[in-house]
Amino acid sequence: MDGILQNGTIPEMIPCTMEQPVLLFPVRHHSPVCSYQLVRTIEVYQPDIILIEGPENANALIPILTDEDTALPAAIYYFYKDTAKLVSDEGEDYHCYYPFLYASPEYNAMVQAKKRGIPAKFIDLPYSAILMHTKGDRGLRTEQEKHSYADDSHLVQSRFYAKLCEKTGLRSFEEFWEKYFEIAGIRKTPEEFLRQMHTYCILTRRETPQAELEADGTLAREQCMASRIQEAMRSYGKILVVTGGFHSAGLYALLQDGDVKPPKLRDFPDNVQNCYPMAYSYTAADALRGYASGMQHPEFYDTLCRALLSGAQPEGIYRAQTLDLLARTAKEAAKKDVPISTADVTAAYSMMEGLAALRGAQECGMYELYDAVTACMIKGERTTATALPLDILGTLATGEGVGRIGDRSHVPPLIADFEAQCEAFRLKSRSAVPQEAELALFQKGRGMEESRFFHRMQFLGTEFAERLKGPDLHAGKDRSRVREVWRYRRTPHVDAVLIDHTTDGVTLAEACRTLAGKALRRERRCETAAKIAVDCFLMGITLPPEDAALMEQILVGDGDFFSIGKGLYYFDMLHSLRRLYDFSDDAAVRCIALCFGKLITLLPTMGDVPPERAQECITIFRVLYGVTGRVLPERQEEFRLALLTLTERAEKEPSVFGAASGLLYAMDGAFRTQAESAMCGYLRGSLPMQKQGALFLKGLFETARDIALTDESFLRMTDALITGMEISDFLEILPSLRLAFSYFTPAEIQQTAASAAALYAASAEDITKKRAVDEELYLFGAQLDREVCGICKEGGRA
């Protein structure tokens, strides 16, 4: 490494001796070697205070992170709601994570300060101030799903590192870092390691334009940190400063220039800006999964760091850890029926050692391990079929664990409620591996309550749970299912969303009730409001009176027939399922009455509905009819009169007309005469009118199919419609006819077949069981019969 970073003056720019009053210790976040050398430096330097890069409004959380009952990975979650539009004109909500692993130098700095009884403080700008000093699409304001406060991108993405990789023949920065820093660095003295880190970081910074440092907030942050260092210098003799290595040169220059003006900071209420401790996961901390500041394979390096800090000898520690990981990979592969022999493992270990020697590494690391597994266990090119050993290796090196916050008094109430319910339902909430839960909804036990818990987590947008099987009330599917199957997994996103909803309530139920009320205040459509009511039903939540009144206002204000009809469907469903789901809220009855009244007023205008919406209209007719039978029997006459008005319109969509006629017949058998008359009108009309007769039948049979079972005249009219058409015309109406008869049950089909067969002196089996004859072939046979008969007549043998 010394031969690569050939610049004798650079290390002397930042003093590395242990006697100076301020010692700048540069780190890469989550680096084992940085943590190891930091602990060694603290033992030698004996600081009076340790200052750490981190937003200073999180200082109260340091004791929580270092609590004996806290298990890493953990993180500080920051949020800022830009309601005053101080960051941008959009007034967006911002959030980021500051993760801590056992290999994180910042975490070990806090632990060492606690162990020695000296203060530890964060000295960086608060999250909101960093955002205000950062230009759009830079730093913490880039467009990405997950932001990390501790960003090493300057160190790992610079032009300088690319030149180093080219010179050393290594494939990536991670491979370069492991060889020259992680493995070689644990053999250096603290002073030697400091010089090497400062050299690399200064050369990297030289490749970064000053304008970029200003745009991403780096300069403003360094001004704040330098001012806090100078404040500490007035009270403490020896100060250790732990920051990302990229900041060391900037801080040193500011401290040499004299007094640094402290920043002016704004005060925000807790619901606008705050920070909370939260559980994190190794998966989220993995650089391969988009975490810009993470190292790849975090659990591997975390395990190695804990061994180092527990007193293990640096010499040979990488060899021991990679061998252990190799053995575990082979063991897990064997469980999945991947044939890996002892000889394969031995060959892989020999190759690891050989590759390390060939590459000039002092020990084999993760990259030698990966190459050895590829060569000896896959034995060739990696493909989907052969990649399982590498996938297992990646999973083991990344880790699947989730941390825990020990001091419960600082856990946000929603997370506390979430964890309490996970414990009550015996859900595995500390594993990042997806789990499944099967619930019996309507049996005695906790199945319904557990289902409501999952639905609440889903409604809050946590992505904690996904329903795989069970009733889908939103889509109206599988309502007869009595069991649900959920897949769930806790990720940092779960905790982050719950923290974001902290101002909505102290329990999941309360937060969901508040969120439902907010959604209603944004809503104007009956259908969407009814879906919110379905969500509340599934979550077991009753809306407060003011939100129930708001729901009714939305229903009254909506003038869309189809939106109101869909809303009626949902409210009727909730009313019919209330006892089954043990839901005591009867607000659905009032909503049903309001929707019914609006629909009755609009129904007569639906006669000329566009053909593409005819089926939707018929479905609403059926819901209205069902409501008059179950909930509002006293209003059936209103419904009947509205249907009569529709049938008397001059222009009518035929399937809607048929459906209305069927419902009128169902309410009054005497209407059969009008239905027959309408069908006759279609039959006596032109060919286009006859084709509409098929649509009329479709609508009629959908709402009153028993008319075909009890009245032979409809069968004869249907027969006349079919037999009176050319083949091409028949094929055009065939889809509508098939749909018309699709509403019949198997028994009704058998009965209809018998009635239809009787028209031709045949049996039902002739229609339902015999193989159909191609009509073209039948016509050809009939023509043959006629010609044979003609020949016979000519020969006198007729």
Side-chain angles (χ1 to χ4, degrees):
M1 184 67 183
D2 294 333
I4 298 171
L5 304 177
Q6 292 180 356
N7 193 321
T9 62
I10 287 176
E12 303 308 322
M13 291 179 62
I14 302 177
C16 301
T17 61
M18 298 294 164
E19 295 80 22
Q20 57 206 343
V22 177
L23 179 62
L24 299 177
F25 195 99
V27 302
R28 181 187 178 189
H29 303 293
H30 317 307
S31 162
V33 70
C34 290
S35 289
Y36 174 66
Q37 293 289 10
L38 173 63
V39 172
R40 296 179 72 196
T41 298
I42 292 172
E43 291 174 354
V44 177
Y45 184 64
Q46 294 291 313
D48 299 319
I49 186 173
I50 300 178
L51 304 181
I52 305 166
E53 178 187 348
E56 60 184 10
N57 60 329
N59 276 317
L61 302 184
I62 291 177
I64 301 167
L65 294 171
T66 57
D67 188 278
E68 292 180 357
D69 292 329
T70 295
L72 304 188
I76 300 175
Y77 176 75
Y78 300 89
F79 72 82
Y80 169 66
K81 300 179 184 295
D82 190 27
T83 53
K85 299 184 178 179
L86 300 174
V87 176
S88 70
D89 294 335
E90 288 75 22
E92 299 175 279
D93 293 347
Y94 298 91
H95 62 268
C96 75
Y97 305 87
Y98 189 176
F100 296 94
L101 309 178
Y102 290 107
S104 301
E106 299 88 344
Y107 171 75
N108 285 290
M110 292 185 286
V111 170
Q112 289 297 313
K114 178 181 179 180
K115 179 180 178 181
R116 296 170 183 276
I118 61 175
K121 292 183 179 180
F122 292 131
I123 57 172
D124 202 350
L125 288 172
Y127 180 47
S128 58
I130 296 175
L131 292 170
M132 293 174 197
H133 285 90
T134 303
K135 293 185 178 180
D137 200 30
R138 300 292 179 90
L140 292 177
R141 292 183 60 189
T142 54
E143 294 293 332
Q144 62 187 61
E145 181 180 352
K146 181 174 61 177
H147 281 288
S148 170
Y149 160 79
D151 189 351
D152 277 330
S153 57
H154 284 305
L155 290 182
V156 303
Q157 298 173 8
S158 68
R159 291 184 292 271
F160 177 62
Y161 107 79
K163 296 175 184 176
L164 284 177
C165 289
E166 181 180 352
K167 184 173 182 179
T168 57
L170 297 174
R171 293 163 290 186
S172 66
F173 171 81
E174 297 295 343
E175 188 175 5
F176 167 82
W177 177 269
E178 184 182 67
K179 177 180 177 181
Y180 288 108
F181 284 89
E182 295 297 337
I183 296 177
I186 59 176
R187 292 167 170 79
K188 295 183 180 296
T189 65
E191 292 87 347
E192 291 171 341
F193 180 77
L194 278 171
R195 288 192 182 91
Q196 179 172 301
M197 279 292 295
H198 280 314
T199 300
Y200 176 79
C201 294
I202 291 172
L203 291 173
T204 300
R205 186 165 177 132
R206 283 183 175 179
E207 295 290 326
T208 307
Q210 193 78 354
E212 184 175 334
L213 298 180
E214 182 177 4
D216 65 13
T218 297
L219 298 184
R221 293 173 60 189
E222 290 175 353
Q223 180 184 355
C224 177
M225 289 191 280
S227 70
R228 300 305 184 228
I229 294 170
Q230 287 188 341
E231 289 175 6
M233 291 171 67
R234 301 185 189 108
S235 304
Y236 298 94
K238 299 185 76 174
I239 303 167
L240 179 65
V241 182
V242 181
T243 67
F246 192 80
H247 295 299
S248 295
L251 291 175
Y252 185 75
L254 287 171
L255 293 173
Q256 295 304 303
D257 288 343
D259 290 339
V260 181
K261 187 177 180 181
K264 293 182 179 180
L265 303 176
R266 294 174 177 265
D267 289 327
F268 295 101
D270 290 345
N271 63 339
V272 173
Q273 174 178 271
N274 213 329
C275 54
Y276 291 96
M278 59 174 282
Y280 210 65
S281 72
Y282 282 118
T283 303
D286 184 11
L288 292 173
R289 288 167 172 79
Y291 172 33
S293 297
M295 291 184 61
Q296 298 175 11
H297 324 302
E299 188 172 47
F300 169 80
Y301 289 116
D302 232 22
T303 304
L304 185 143
C305 185
R306 296 180 79 176
L308 271 174
L309 297 179
S310 297
Q313 290 299 315
E315 194 74 33
I317 193 167
Y318 269 87
R319 183 179 296 106
Q321 293 293 326
T322 52
L323 177 59
D324 176 71
L325 189 53
L326 174 64
R328 288 195 292 138
T329 299
K331 184 177 179 180
E332 290 299 318
K335 292 180 182 178
K336 300 182 183 297
D337 297 327
V338 177
I340 295 178
S341 65
T342 304
D344 292 335
V345 177
T346 303
Y349 178 66
S350 297
M351 178 167 283
M352 287 162 48
E353 293 287 297
L355 287 173
L358 185 64
R359 295 168 179 173
Q362 293 171 304
E363 290 186 46
C364 52
M366 278 300 303
Y367 295 89
E368 286 73 35
L369 175 56
Y370 260 94
D371 291 341
V373 169
T374 302
C376 300
M377 293 186 181
I378 293 179
K379 298 182 175 66
E381 183 180 356
R382 175 176 180 171
T383 65
T384 303
T386 63
L388 186 58
L390 279 179
D391 292 340
I392 293 171
L393 174 59
T395 299
L396 292 174
T398 298
E400 297 175 334
V402 176
R404 179 188 69 249
I405 299 300
D407 186 348
R408 309 306 298 166
S409 63
H410 288 79
V411 172
L414 279 185
I415 293 182
D417 187 38
F418 160 72
E419 292 180 342
Q421 295 197 46
C422 284
E423 184 176 351
F425 296 129
R426 298 178 183 176
L427 301 176
K428 298 178 180 179
S429 63
R430 291 198 61 205
S431 172
V433 179
Q435 309 288 328
E436 286 192 6
E438 184 172 346
L439 317 179
L441 294 178
F442 310 119
Q443 296 179 6
K444 290 183 178 180
R446 61 190 182 195
M448 182 59 69
E449 287 304 314
E450 191 169 349
S451 172
R452 287 171 175 169
F453 164 69
F454 281 129
H455 279 291
R456 289 169 187 176
M457 294 297 292
Q458 198 173 55
F459 185 71
L460 290 173
T462 62
E463 300 177 10
F464 172 69
E466 174 191 10
R467 189 183 65 247
L468 303 179
K469 297 178 183 178
D472 185 351
L473 300 190
H474 283 96
K477 297 179 180 179
D478 299 326
R479 285 173 52 178
S480 61
R481 285 184 178 268
V482 298
R483 305 183 78 83
E484 284 183 339
V485 177
W486 291 82
R487 178 183 293 133
Y488 66 92
R489 181 179 66 164
R490 184 175 185 178
T491 65
H493 179 74
V494 174
D495 295 57
V497 172
L498 292 177
I499 292 172
D500 284 340
H501 286 296
T502 293
T503 55
D504 294 324
V506 298
T507 66
L508 295 176
E510 186 178 329
C512 289
R513 187 179 291 110
T514 302
L515 198 63
K518 290 180 179 179
L520 285 175
R521 286 168 179 78
R522 297 190 300 266
E523 195 47 60
R524 295 294 180 269
R525 285 177 53 81
C526 174
E527 177 183 355
T528 313
K531 288 180 179 179
I532 295 172
V534 173
D535 288 324
C536 292
F537 180 85
L538 292 169
M539 294 186 291
I541 290 173
T542 303
L543 289 174
E546 60 272 18
D547 289 339
L550 180 60
M551 175 81 73
E552 295 178 7
Q553 291 175 18
I554 295 171
L555 308 189
V556 172
D558 195 354
D560 184 347
F561 180 84
F562 297 101
S563 172
I564 301 169
K566 194 68 175 178
L568 178 65
Y569 165 79
Y570 285 129
F571 291 124
D572 180 46
M573 174 183 65
L574 299 185
H575 178 70
S576 64
L577 294 176
R578 68 191 188 285
R579 289 189 177 87
L580 183 63
Y581 278 76
D582 191 25
F583 191 72
S584 58
D585 185 15
D586 288 328
V589 176
R590 174 67 178 162
C591 294
I592 289 172
L594 290 172
C595 290
F596 186 90
K598 294 278 291 187
L599 291 170
I600 291 300
T601 303
L602 297 170
L603 189 148
T605 66
M606 292 295 108
D608 55 352
V609 68
E612 63 271 14
R613 305 207 72 173
Q615 183 58 46
E616 192 177 349
C617 187
I618 293 170
T619 301
I620 295 173
F621 286 1
R622 295 179 65 183
V623 174
L624 284 165
Y625 179 72
V627 165
T628 60
R630 292 186 298 271
V631 187
L632 303 174
E634 71 279 3
R635 304 190 68 172
Q636 189 176 85
E637 181 62 18
E638 290 181 58
F639 180 43
R640 189 183 71 83
L641 292 175
L643 289 175
L644 274 174
T645 305
L646 181 146
T647 60
E648 292 168 358
R649 292 176 63 94
E651 297 294 331
K652 300 180 287 291
E653 202 284 330
S655 62
V656 172
F657 181 28
S661 299
L663 290 173
L664 288 167
Y665 166 76
M667 288 184 279
D668 182 2
F671 195 80
R672 184 186 65 189
T673 304
Q674 288 92 319
E676 289 179 356
S677 176
M679 187 62 190
C680 288
Y682 284 115
L683 290 174
R684 292 170 184 165
S686 61
L687 181 60
M689 184 65 71
Q690 292 178 17
K691 291 178 181 179
Q692 289 187 13
L695 293 172
F696 176 83
L697 279 177
K698 168 189 167 296
L700 181 71
F701 289 166
E702 183 170 354
T703 56
R705 60 180 181 269
D706 59 326
I707 201 169
L709 303 174
T710 59
D711 193 341
E712 188 178 310
S713 60
F714 268 95
L715 278 177
R716 292 188 178 278
M717 283 188 276
T718 304
D719 181 65
L721 176 68
I722 294 172
T723 58
M725 290 185 173
E726 297 293 333
I727 293 177
S728 58
D729 295 325
F730 170 71
L731 291 177
E732 186 176 339
I733 70 166
L734 183 59
S736 296
L737 286 173
R738 281 179 170 170
L739 191 56
F741 284 95
S742 67
Y743 304 108
F744 288 70
T745 65
E748 291 170 342
I749 290 173
Q750 190 70 22
Q751 183 180 345
T752 305
S755 301
L759 299 177
Y760 292 91
S763 66
E765 287 73 15
D766 293 333
I767 295 178
T768 59
K769 294 185 179 180
K770 285 190 176 181
R771 184 178 178 183
V773 178
D774 183 87
E775 189 164 354
E776 296 288 347
L777 181 61
Y778 175 82
L779 293 175
F780 177 70
Q783 180 66 28
L784 284 179
D785 285 346
R786 287 193 293 271
E787 291 185 8
V788 169
C789 289
I791 292 171
C792 290
K793 286 181 180 180
E794 291 175 3
R797 296 191 296 273

